[in-house]
Amino acid sequence: MKLLNLLLNILWLVFCGIWMAIAYLVAALICFILIVTIPFGIASLRIAGFVLWPFGRTTVERPEAGAGSFIGNVIWVIFAGWWLALGHLITSIPLFVSIIGIPFGWANLKLIPISLMPLGREVVSTDQGFGGR
């Protein structure tokens, strides 16, 4: 399974991972420039790493995340989240059209929820295969 995840991650990186990671890095840079939004920039960097190498990892909710994460996620969706989610959606369409890219299109769609609500979540390794979660 680890060999399959490695192969999928390398192909992902070449075909769509690098472009989406750059989008998250731009969002992080903007957040760092605005100073007040540094926590959003840190979350964006965390997602950028996940977007670069998604297979074999997943996100889980942090149990200690509370109302602050919820309010932060609402602010994030308004200013940056919906742009990034739209990027995942648009990137997934040509991947689904090219039949061989279907796993990558599905992976893009699975990244939309975390692009909309990154605060209060963390990236963890998983033993499940591609479609496990």
Side-chain angles (χ1 to χ4, degrees), residues 72-118:
N73 279 329
V74 170
I75 294 168
W76 173 261
V77 166
I78 292 170
F79 292 106
W82 73 276
W83 284 103
L84 295 166
L86 185 64
H88 282 296
L89 183 65
I90 290 171
T91 305
S92 70
I93 293 170
L95 292 169
F96 278 120
V97 170
S98 70
I99 295 171
I100 199 161
I102 290 175
F104 302 122
W106 183 245
N108 257 316
L109 293 181
K110 287 173 64 173
L111 288 167
I112 289 175
I114 192 161
S115 70
L116 290 172
M117 298 198 174

Side-chain angles (χ1 to χ4, degrees), residues 31-129:
C31 290
F32 288 138
I33 290 171
L34 297 175
I35 297 174
V36 176
T37 55
I38 286 176
F40 300 113
I42 293 169
S44 186
L45 287 178
R46 185 176 58 245
I47 301 169
F50 181 54
V51 168
L52 274 175
W53 210 255
F55 296 98
R57 301 190 305 167
T58 189
T59 61
V60 294
E61 291 183 25
R62 288 191 345 240
E64 70 274 1
S69 292
F70 176 75
I71 293 168
N73 279 329
V74 170
I75 294 168
W76 173 261
V77 166
I78 292 170
F79 292 106
W82 73 276
W83 284 103
L84 295 166
L86 185 64
H88 282 296
L89 183 65
I90 290 171
T91 305
S92 70
I93 293 170
L95 292 169
F96 278 120
V97 170
S98 70
I99 295 171
I100 199 161
I102 290 175
F104 302 122
W106 183 245
N108 257 316
L109 293 181
K110 287 173 64 173
L111 288 167
I112 289 175
I114 192 161
S115 70
L116 290 172
M117 298 198 174
L119 300 173
R121 300 189 67 83
E122 65 180 321
V123 178
V124 296
S125 294
T126 181
D127 293 334
Q128 297 176 353

Side-chain angles (χ1 to χ4, degrees), residues 7-39:
L7 178 64
L8 287 171
N9 278 322
I10 291 170
L11 290 173
W12 169 267
L13 184 66
V14 171
F15 289 115
C16 57
I18 192 76
W19 308 114
M20 288 308 300
I22 290 171
Y24 282 101
L25 290 174
V26 168
L29 181 64
I30 292 169
C31 290
F32 288 138
I33 290 171
L34 297 175
I35 297 174
V36 176
T37 55
I38 286 176

